[in-house]
Amino acid sequence: MFSRRGIILAALIALAGFAAVWSTFGGWYGSGPLKRDQAFVVPDGAGLTVVAAKLQREGAIASAEAFRLRARFFASAAPIKAGEFMLPKGASPSRILAILQGDEIIRRFVTVPEGMPSIMVYERLMAQPHLTGKIEVPAEGSILPDSYDFARGESRAAVLKRMQTAMQRRLDELWAQRKPGSVVKTKQEALTLASIVEKETGKPSERRQVAGLYSNRVRTGMLLQADPTIIYPITKGKPLGRRIRQSEIAAVNGYNTYTMVGLPKGPITNPGSDSIAAVLDPAPTKALYMVADGTGGHAFADTLSQHNANVAKWFAIRRARGEL
């Protein structure tokens, strides 16, 4: 028979063992010290020792040493990944390690709207504090307008390359589908004419009609007379912020389509897919003229007399609005 003293001693030993086991398991699977959701960055090439120390410094775990020991005993051998992760409030050490070994990297986005010129894309990328490195202003028309995700610490050059690769890929796809009615002879001409269409209408339903109009002008040797081509050499595509001057309309350069026949020497912005598609499959129209119609779109005309009548209507609308 066990003595009373022996029973008590055995109970104490069992309790001590349970406490040790609970300390080990509870410290690994129990709630951690984070008071709120918190972003955590794993530097490129960092291993368990470096990451554990960083987690302790940032208050995500209580002890770097205990984290390392328990990770080696309880966790999988999967590597910790570089990147930015979101650690939830009260996350246990085991949950934290699982997150850092998983694919829950925080992705951030930079958006290039249709018709944003390259100088403004450059400024947007350079202003993004989570990107690194420097870039030059990219070639006009080389970027496909879209939203692009990136990881914290990624280089601006890498993000820019994705934007340009996306444009080249999309241009190749659309070029393969071009129709006989298209007036452009090369992919670069397609980008150039698409950039004019992009700047001349913000109404999606008009793109093919505008593309058809300018295609007719190119085909017949008429001046394109697109106002955005006057502005581009002055601002590199940024808003002018005032009316165009007569001296600017008369300026001779590689872009101003009021003083040159044919297309400008290059794009005047980064056109979207729909504008590129429009110039490669323009609307079958005889239109040669267009003017604003007061609704955000344009009134199209085949003849100069029809156009003059549309212009008169537009001026009447502006007078009624008190703009003249």
Side-chain angles (χ1 to χ4, degrees):
M1 292 193 50
F2 291 107
S3 67
R4 184 176 179 183
R5 180 179 296 179
I7 293 173
I8 294 173
L9 181 59
L12 289 174
I13 292 172
L15 185 60
F18 175 80
V21 170
W22 176 252
S23 175
T24 299
F25 280 87
W28 184 241
Y29 296 106
S31 297
L34 280 178
K35 302 300 183 184
R36 63 182 183 280
D37 292 356
Q38 181 174 311
F40 181 79
V41 177
V42 177
D44 192 31
L48 181 62
T49 299
V50 171
V51 170
K54 192 170 187 289
L55 285 168
Q56 181 178 327
R57 286 197 305 273
E58 298 185 17
I61 59 174
S63 168
E65 182 178 2
F67 183 85
R68 291 198 311 272
L69 292 173
R70 289 164 177 158
R72 287 170 180 153
F73 188 77
F74 294 115
S76 73
I80 291 174
K81 298 183 179 180
E84 185 178 14
F85 301 83
M86 183 59 67
L87 306 181
K89 175 184 176 181
S92 66
S94 64
R95 175 63 179 139
I96 289 174
L97 183 59
I99 290 172
L100 303 185
Q101 291 174 327
D103 296 319
E104 299 179 31
I105 296 173
I106 295 175
R107 305 302 297 185
R108 300 175 186 274
F109 292 86
V110 59
T111 298
V112 178
E114 294 175 337
M116 175 176 277
S118 287
I119 183 64
M120 295 179 71
V121 177
Y122 164 81
E123 291 172 351
R124 181 161 292 191
L125 288 174
M126 291 303 297
Q128 176 50 251
H130 299 297
L131 291 174
T132 62
K134 295 182 179 180
I135 54 171
E136 300 296 325
V137 177
E140 200 68 74
S142 67
I143 292 165
L144 183 68
D146 204 345
S147 291
Y148 297 87
D149 70 328
F150 64 89
R152 181 172 183 153
E154 190 172 0
S155 71
R156 293 180 175 87
V159 177
L160 177 58
K161 184 176 181 180
R162 287 205 298 279
M163 295 175 170
Q164 293 177 318
T165 298
M167 172 58 93
Q168 191 57 59
R169 185 181 299 116
R170 186 62 178 141
L171 181 59
D172 289 345
E173 292 170 353
L174 293 172
W175 182 257
Q177 302 168 25
R178 68 190 185 280
K179 299 297 190 294
S182 176
V183 74
V184 296
K185 298 179 178 64
T186 66
K187 294 177 185 178
Q188 185 67 12
E189 286 186 357
L191 284 175
T192 300
L193 185 53
S195 71
I196 294 175
V197 172
E198 190 71 68
K199 297 298 285 187
E200 283 283 31
T201 182
K203 201 169 183 178
S205 61
E206 281 191 351
R207 286 193 178 105
R208 291 186 67 234
Q209 182 79 356
V210 173
L213 183 155
Y214 281 117
S215 295
N216 290 341
R217 287 197 164 216
V218 169
R219 192 176 291 111
T220 58
M222 288 182 65
L223 295 173
L224 298 188
Q225 294 183 316
D227 289 359
T229 65
I230 301 173
I231 298 170
Y232 185 77
I234 304 169
T235 68
K236 295 302 179 185
K238 291 184 177 182
L240 184 60
R242 57 171 173 78
R243 290 188 177 182
I244 299 172
R245 297 169 181 151
Q246 286 298 321
S247 60
E248 294 164 344
I249 295 174
V252 177
N253 53 56
Y255 290 96
N256 185 3
T257 56
Y258 275 78
T259 57
M260 63 179 287
V261 175
L263 297 172
K265 66 180 183 180
I268 59 171
T269 194
N270 291 292
S273 292
D274 290 345
S275 291
I276 299 172
V279 304
L280 294 175
D281 182 21
T285 178
K286 295 181 180 179
L288 292 169
Y289 307 92
M290 68 179 186
V291 68
D293 63 3
T295 68
H298 294 84
F300 296 88
D302 298 351
T303 67
L304 183 57
S305 60
Q306 292 171 350
H307 176 61
N308 288 337
N310 290 335
V311 170
K313 292 177 183 177
W314 171 232
F315 275 97
I317 291 171
R318 294 187 66 190
R319 278 192 295 272
R321 291 175 176 175
E323 296 174 356
L324 295 176

